[in-house]
Amino acid sequence: MSSRAIADSPNSTTTRHELLFLNYFRLAQALVYVGLAFTPSGMGWPHLDNSSLARLVAAGYLLFALAVISITHLTKALGWLGILGTLLVDIVAAVLAIAAMNDARIGIAMMLAVNLAAGALLLPLRLALFLAALATLGVLGRTLFALPHPGPSVDDRDFLESGLFGMAYFAIVVLCNVLGRQLRASEALAEQRSIDLVNLAQVNELIIRRMKTGVMLVDDANRIHQINESAWMLLGNPSSDQRDLGRVAPELSRRLYHWITSGKLDETATQLADGMPEVVPRFSRLAPNDDSLVLIFLDDTSLVSRRAEELTLGSLGRLSASIAHEIRNPLAAIRYSAQLLAESNEISPTDLRMVEIINNHCSRLNDIIENILQLSRRERSRPETLNLGDWAHDFVDEYKQGNDIGNDSLRVIDNSAQPVIAVADPQQLHQVIWNLVQNALRYGRMPGEPARVLVVVRHGEHGVPILEVIDRGPGIAPKVAAQIFEPFYTTHEYGTGLGLYLARQMAEANQAVLEYVRVAGGGSCFRLVLTPPVRIEPAA
């Protein structure tokens, strides 16, 4: 940090403290002047060369010191011009005090050095040197123009004292300015480090909070200090005031005690709450040989099974994609032959119906192949920060332009007071919502009535961004709703059963959650809970 930057920003904590010290030292300095100027004449020291001037300077300087303190308390800070002006007054007052009270010249000159040192901390080096030069000239000028005092070589001694004080002023100013710059550089570095630590703590907290593994911090009194969302859910969503591990999860408390006393870990899976998946607890001390704080990790066994299932599905997906690619050519040949057969003039109506059935099933099989190939070659998500309100309006306009919806209704509802911001891949989000809207227009209608589909944009709990596709159709039966996201499950004669499965896969690739919610009074709602952007305090 340059000294100029220091002078232009006298509002930092360190600068305010230095300015406060200077103001109160000036007050003490003024009181010393008053004590010297108003000393009874009978005491004999100090001898006042000009008592009227001494008392006038002392009283005026005292009033000035009180005024500066009052102004600083009212305005909380002084600009560098104000600091420069007060120091100029200090120098003038000190020179006049030396001229009026020559016996106290050494003490007054030494007190002035403190003023110059404080100015060197608060002002740029050039201005501080300028003040040191003025103080030196003032002290030397007073010696030069003062009446000679009796005694041998008194003038030479005064000049020598003034010269030494001038050298001391310059040395003090340079030294204090260098120290001040180093002090502010250290202060800025410490502030930057504190901001970095706060940001790092926020990132760590976010990572721990979003971890799929449950994490808990328990002390030696079996009391829970911290817990992340996954652990809270695996414990059955206990209330926030329940902090005793023995009451919240007795089995986990028993295993923790067993691990602390014997050092052996029970790695069998256990269920900590009704309706929750089984977990395998792991324990770790924060410090070696210290059981005062223990970290508990809860590994969800269903996640491990799901990872194994995903690996299996991935292998099957690649195999299915290879098979699908090999099927495309024979399928195209069958469809082309059926089309040629349908163009024959000698084909009977019965055979024509058979050709139509062949074409329909070829189209269905081709759709399945396209979905399998799309699933196998799906690219990694490229998330961007999106305004869901604007995005939804653009999507509906684009959908209406590319698809004839007839008498059906498709519109956006966005009543949020603040913009709904989410992080997602815009292309994959487009595919997910297009699939949901297509299904809603196709199946979400009452018999003989046009479909009414809404794309709702809103904030959820804790401000999470939510996108919903709602229809007013007959809804989905509970037994069917439990299986609609499974691959190849369909209730339609010509459905592929991969649309919703693909939509959920792409949602999970964007760290979003796609779920089905039944609408009261009839209808269906597919809710997509997206990821909000992370806000981190910017570094200074």
Side-chain angles (χ1 to χ4, degrees), residues 409-411 413 436-437 440 444 452-456 458 467-473 517 519 522-527:
S409 170
L410 174 62
R411 60 193 182 93
I413 294 182
L436 297 178
V437 170
R452 292 178 296 164
V453 180
L454 303 176
V455 179
V456 180
R458 64 181 180 87
L467 202 56
E468 295 175 328
V469 177
I470 303 174
D471 64 63
R472 290 298 178 182
V517 180
V519 179
S524 300
C525 171
F526 283 90
R527 178 176 299 160

Side-chain angles (χ1 to χ4, degrees), residues 50-95:
N50 190 333
S51 60
S52 299
L53 177 62
R55 291 168 182 172
L56 178 63
V57 169
Y61 192 55
L62 178 61
L63 293 176
F64 171 75
L66 293 172
V68 171
I69 291 176
S70 301
I71 293 173
T72 304
H73 278 290
L74 290 176
T75 60
K76 302 299 181 183
L78 287 177
W80 68 270
L81 284 176
I83 296 173
L84 178 62
T86 57
L87 289 171
L88 288 174
V89 174
D90 293 340
I91 294 173
V92 172
V95 172

Side-chain angles (χ1 to χ4, degrees), residues 214-277:
V215 181
M216 302 168 57
L217 182 64
V218 180
D219 62 11
D220 52 359
N222 221 25
R223 185 170 180 81
I224 301 173
H225 281 262
Q226 292 183 357
I227 182 171
N228 70 345
E229 294 178 0
S230 297
W232 181 71
M233 293 180 63
L234 292 171
L235 292 177
N237 305 336
S239 60
S240 58
D241 58 343
Q242 292 183 358
R243 292 290 179 176
D244 187 357
L245 183 63
R247 294 185 178 181
V248 174
E251 174 62 18
L252 186 59
S253 177
R254 185 193 66 79
R255 292 197 183 195
L256 175 60
Y257 176 77
H258 176 72
W259 175 78
I260 291 176
T261 54
S262 67
K264 297 180 180 179
L265 179 63
D266 186 355
E267 297 184 356
T268 57
T270 182
Q271 189 179 40
L272 300 178
D274 294 337
M276 294 293 109

